[in-house]
């Protein structure tokens, strides 16, 4: 790889051992994939070390003690617990304590304590063409597709990119890798896509076929930003999709032809409402009428209007969450603070629900392996209803419970009746 | 037994020697491997009960969550990581990033079909032969 004189000096240790090591890792990554040179990145979304992986926190604490600092604005992804409310969520004290050590190390490194999967809604919305490094598949696909910023699926080296401010020029940073591969001709009207959960079902369906390539959606009705968030999160669940185009609603392609850049799709499929129904069915193992004990809303994390909507729904019905049911509304601490200020958090809590920040069920102590390690009941949840295909898919395996995918209203009905009545 | 040298595309630099452990099916570090011991724990896996610690681990391709990196790091900290990894197919970003940080040599697309020609237990050497 061709390095600039400044990069060569950094690699030789002129700016200290922490920077030299960080750059060496990033250069090795570029060499492994044949990148020609490095590029400066303007923003990093960092994989906050979760205390459910003990080794990773210890390694982080050691690293932070080396005196390394991030070189660019760096937000952090979700943790394994709510740092303030962990006792209310049933999180073991040992896990919360270990997580607190990670948070102190993040602060020492200069990482911002956002602890969210949706930094793009907290003011970190890089423009079209920006080179960034991000973890968290639902944020990665939103940055690439909706905003037109450029990132690969960041992994372990994200930390080192944050410290040296560099990433190899490769993968989705290059024009040639951003063209469409799979065409989905959507026979779907606004009546078929009535909620973000419907968009989530669409993404779950299409992701299976798109795999790790670039799907293009033709003929979708005008979406909201929450619809596109839901679509992307699900595409990156059933597939490992990093970028999609939905002309003319996404950043880079005004038309289907432009999205394919003159190339012929590898695969073309028609999509109808029946495909969405099949996605709902595939993620639903709770039969209509059966009891549920957990309702999870906010995957990805809820925005302020999402929390307000839940609060108003509960307040309008003077509803209470049924005995034995846990209702978690998952968000980040900045959004929770705003929702608390306007009274929405108090309304949800008065109804018996929780507004959980920093984390979510699937990242929490409720994972099967973590429950066993800490002597908690495993599985911790019997039957969970969620309004996101991503949540429904991962809790099935990681928490080991039965699941149902349903739009938010149906989820809230399940929370107050204690039963799933179907979608 | 004579030590066999394995050649291929050197993706993460380094040299290693050890007994080969050859899996005919993909391995996901998250879920398939015990984080503390390096034992393969996945139900139905052909190598279930075997340990990857100190082995030259040969398998078709990486699979599974990016959380696999964290498992690899835990194994490395516990001294239970593989000595080297050999993938029959090209590597994805995730496994490469994990191997770089953990200092585990990673070779891809070896010259011969090791899944057929290399029995587990054979002593092998990974040379730092550069990109072929």
């Amino acid at each position: 790889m061709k390095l600039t004189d400044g990069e060569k000096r950094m690699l030789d240790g002129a700016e200290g051992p922490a920077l030299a090591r960080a750059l060496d890792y990033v250069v090795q990554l570029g060499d492994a994939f044949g990148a020609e040179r490095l590029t400066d990145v303007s923003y990093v979304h960092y994989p906050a070390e979760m205390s459910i992986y003990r080794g990773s926190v210890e390694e982080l604490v050691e690293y932070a003690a080396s005196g390394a600092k991030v070189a660019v604005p760096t937000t952090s992804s979700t943790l394994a617990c709510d740092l303030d409310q962990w006792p209310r969520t049933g999180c073991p004290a040992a896990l919360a304590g270990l997580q607190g050590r990670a948070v102190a190390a993040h602060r020492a490194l200069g990482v911002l304590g956002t602890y969210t999967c949706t930094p793009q809604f907290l003011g970190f919305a890089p423009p079209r063409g920006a080179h960034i490094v991000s973890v968290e598949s639902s944020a990665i696909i939103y940055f690439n597709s909706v905003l037109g910023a450029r990132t690969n699926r960041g992994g372990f080296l994200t930390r080192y990119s944050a410290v040296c401010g560099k990433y190899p020029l490769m993968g989705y940073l290059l024009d040639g890798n951003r063209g469409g591969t799979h065409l989905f001709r959507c026979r779907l009207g606004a009546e078929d896509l009535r909620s973000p959960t419907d968009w989530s079902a669409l993404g779950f369906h299409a992701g299976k076929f798109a795999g790790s390539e670039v799907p293009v959606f033709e003929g979708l009705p005008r979406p909201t930003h929450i619809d596109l968030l839901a679509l992307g999160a699900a595409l990156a669940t059933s597939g490992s999709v990093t970028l999609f185009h939905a002309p003319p609603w996404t950043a880079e392609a005004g038309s289907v032809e432009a999205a394919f850049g003159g190339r012929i799709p590898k695969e073309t499929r028609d999509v109808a409402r029946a495909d969405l129904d099949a996605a709902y069915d595939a993620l639903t193992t709770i039969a209509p009428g059966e009891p549920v004990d957990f309702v999870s809303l906010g995957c990805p994390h809820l925005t302020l209007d999402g929390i307000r909507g839940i609060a108003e729904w509960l307040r309008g019905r003077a509803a209470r969450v049924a005995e034995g049911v846990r209702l978690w509304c998952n968000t980040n601490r900045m959004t929770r603070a705003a929702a608390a200020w306007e009274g929405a958090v108090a309304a949800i809590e008065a109804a018996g629900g929780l507004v959980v920040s920093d984390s979510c069920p699937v990242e929490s102590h409720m994972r099967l392996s973590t429950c066993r390690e800490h002597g908690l009941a495993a599985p911790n949840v019997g039957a969970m209803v969620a309004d996101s295909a991503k949540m429904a898919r991962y809790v099935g395996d990681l928490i080991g419970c039965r699941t149902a995918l349903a739009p938010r209203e149906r989820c809230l009905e399940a929370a107050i009746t204690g039963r799933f009545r179907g979608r | 037994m004579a030590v066999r040298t394995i050649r291929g595309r050197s993706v993460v630099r380094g040299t290693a020697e050890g007994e080969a452990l050859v899996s005919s099916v993909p391995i996901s570090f998250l879920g398939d491997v015990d984080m503390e011991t390096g034992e393969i724990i996945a139900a139905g896996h052909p190598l279930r009960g075997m340990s990857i610690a100190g082995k030259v681990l040969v398998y078709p391709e990486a699979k599974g969550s990016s959380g696999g990196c964290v498992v690899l790091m835990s194994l490395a900290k516990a001294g239970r990581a593989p000595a080297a990894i050999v993938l029959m197919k090209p590597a994805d970003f995730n496994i490469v990033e994990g191997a770089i940080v953990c200092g585990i040599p990673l070779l891809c697309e070896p010259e011969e079909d090791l899944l057929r020609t290399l029995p587990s237990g054979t002593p092998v050497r990974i040379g730092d032969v550069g990109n072929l």
Side-chain angles (χ1 to χ4, degrees):
Chain A
M1 189 161 23
K2 262 186 276 173
L3 299 181
T4 64
D5 290 342
E7 288 162 355
K8 282 181 195 150
R9 278 196 301 275
M10 196 189 282
L11 200 55
D12 289 342
E15 295 174 52
L19 271 169
R21 175 175 159 201
L23 191 63
D24 174 54
Y25 286 158
V26 173
V27 169
Q28 283 193 55
L29 180 67
D31 280 339
F33 291 98
E36 284 180 13
R37 63 178 179 89
L38 301 175
T39 182
D40 293 329
V41 298
S42 57
Y43 163 65
V44 172
H45 185 55
Y46 178 92
E49 288 74 6
M50 295 195 295
S51 58
I52 52 176
Y53 303 117
R54 178 186 305 278
S56 96
V57 175
E58 284 162 6
E59 192 271 339
L60 161 72
V61 168
E62 234 170 76
Y63 184 70
S66 76
K69 298 275 179 219
V70 298
V72 295
T74 302
T75 52
S76 47
S77 208
T78 46
L79 301 175
C81 66
D82 182 316
L83 294 168
D84 302 324
Q85 301 186 91
W86 58 268
R88 299 176 79 182
T89 65
C91 174
L95 214 55
L98 186 61
Q99 193 64 86
R101 291 183 60 210
V103 166
H106 294 151
R107 208 165 286 168
L109 278 172
V111 173
L112 298 162
T114 51
Y115 303 123
T116 188
C117 47
T118 55
Q120 70 272 33
F121 296 149
L122 293 178
F124 297 89
R128 181 171 171 169
H131 288 174
I132 66 172
V133 184
S134 180
V135 296
E136 171 48 51
S137 62
S138 72
I140 291 166
I141 194 169
Y142 195 96
F143 284 135
N144 272 313
S145 315
V146 181
L147 302 180
R150 297 183 173 205
T151 177
N152 290 318
R153 288 160 72 88
F156 242 29
L157 291 195
T158 304
R159 173 197 293 169
Y160 302 100
S161 278
V163 165
C164 67
K166 309 267 182 187
Y167 186 83
L169 192 61
M170 63 182 192
Y172 286 98
L173 272 58
L174 300 171
D175 289 341
N177 297 327
R178 295 181 69 87
T181 58
H182 291 57
L183 177 61
F184 293 90
R185 292 191 301 203
C186 299
R187 312 296 189 218
L188 298 166
E191 70 285 1
D192 298 311
L193 291 164
R194 277 169 305 194
S195 68
T197 312
D198 285 338
W199 289 81
S200 184
L202 168 62
F204 196 77
H205 169 72
K208 281 183 302 190
F209 302 105
S212 59
E213 298 193 83
V214 183
V216 177
F217 295 90
E218 180 187 65
L220 285 176
R222 183 187 299 271
T224 68
H225 57 302
I226 302 297
D227 295 334
L228 292 177
L229 177 71
L231 173 63
L235 280 168
T237 299
S238 58
S240 49
V241 177
T242 304
L243 165 70
F244 70 92
H245 302 293
W249 315 123
T250 46
E252 287 186 14
S255 68
V256 168
E257 293 68 36
F260 282 98
R263 287 182 304 186
I264 294 170
K266 284 185 189 173
E267 197 178 323
T268 299
R269 286 179 175 272
D270 288 348
V271 183
R273 175 68 211 193
D275 296 312
L276 276 51
D277 291 335
Y280 275 96
D281 290 344
L283 291 165
T284 301
T285 52
I286 305 171
E290 285 191 316
V292 303
D293 59 358
F294 206 109
V295 175
S296 175
L297 303 176
C299 171
H301 274 170
L302 287 163
T303 57
L304 182 56
D305 65 301
I307 298 174
R308 181 191 287 178
I310 293 165
E312 285 178 352
W313 192 95
L314 291 166
R315 201 156 34 196
R317 286 163 184 74
R320 271 207 66 80
V321 174
E323 188 70 31
V325 177
R326 284 173 278 178
L327 167 64
W328 279 29
C329 306
N330 316 306
T331 190
N332 49 70
R333 57 184 42 250
M334 299 80 196
T335 303
R336 188 182 190 281
W341 178 78
E342 65 165 50
V345 171
I348 291 169
E349 288 182 345
L354 284 179
V355 180
V356 174
S357 54
D358 310 319
S359 189
C360 77
V362 79
E363 308 282 44
S364 77
H365 62 278
M366 288 183 282
R367 279 204 189 173
L368 276 175
S369 51
T370 308
C371 285
R372 291 200 189 101
E373 191 186 328
H374 290 272
L376 305 172
N380 206 265
V381 178
M384 181 189 290
V385 186
D387 60 355
S388 147
K390 177 175 182 175
M391 179 62 66
R393 165 67 186 80
Y394 286 128
V395 297
D397 282 351
L398 292 171
I399 296 185
C401 61
R402 290 184 302 137
T403 57
L405 176 65
R408 187 159 300 164
E409 284 219 1
R410 291 281 174 275
C411 292
L412 286 166
E413 284 167 13
I416 65 173
T417 62
R419 288 188 185 275
F420 175 58
R421 78 166 227 217
R423 65 171 184 271
Chain B
M1 213 186 306
V3 177
R4 248 173 90 172
T5 298
I6 296 179
R7 295 179 197 285
R9 207 169 87 77
S10 173
V11 174
V12 178
R13 299 178 301 241
T15 54
E17 263 189 49
E19 268 182 27
L21 183 66
V22 184
S23 168
S24 56
V25 299
I27 291 175
S28 162
F29 285 99
L30 183 64
D32 286 357
V33 180
D34 183 288
M35 223 189 299
E36 310 277 326
T37 64
E39 191 181 312
I40 296 181
I41 51 173
H45 197 284
L47 299 181
R48 186 171 186 189
M50 306 285 281
S51 171
I52 66 173
K55 302 283 169 52
V56 173
L57 185 60
V58 182
Y59 57 105
E61 61 184 317
K63 69 158 187 182
S65 160
S66 55
C69 270
V70 183
V71 175
L72 201 55
M73 172 58 77
S74 297
L75 290 170
K77 289 254 144 203
R80 306 294 294 170
I85 296 173
V86 179
L87 298 177
M88 302 306 294
K89 293 193 180 167
D92 65 3
F93 290 143
N94 204 261
I95 185 80
V96 172
E97 295 192 14
I100 289 171
V101 175
C102 298
I104 300 171
L106 174 66
L107 202 85
C108 288
E109 302 162 89
E111 289 173 326
E112 49 178 317
D113 183 3
L114 299 176
L115 300 187
R116 287 197 305 117
T117 64
L118 183 69
S120 285
T122 311
V124 290
R125 176 187 301 120
I126 302 293
D128 198 357
V129 292
N131 291 349
L132 293 177

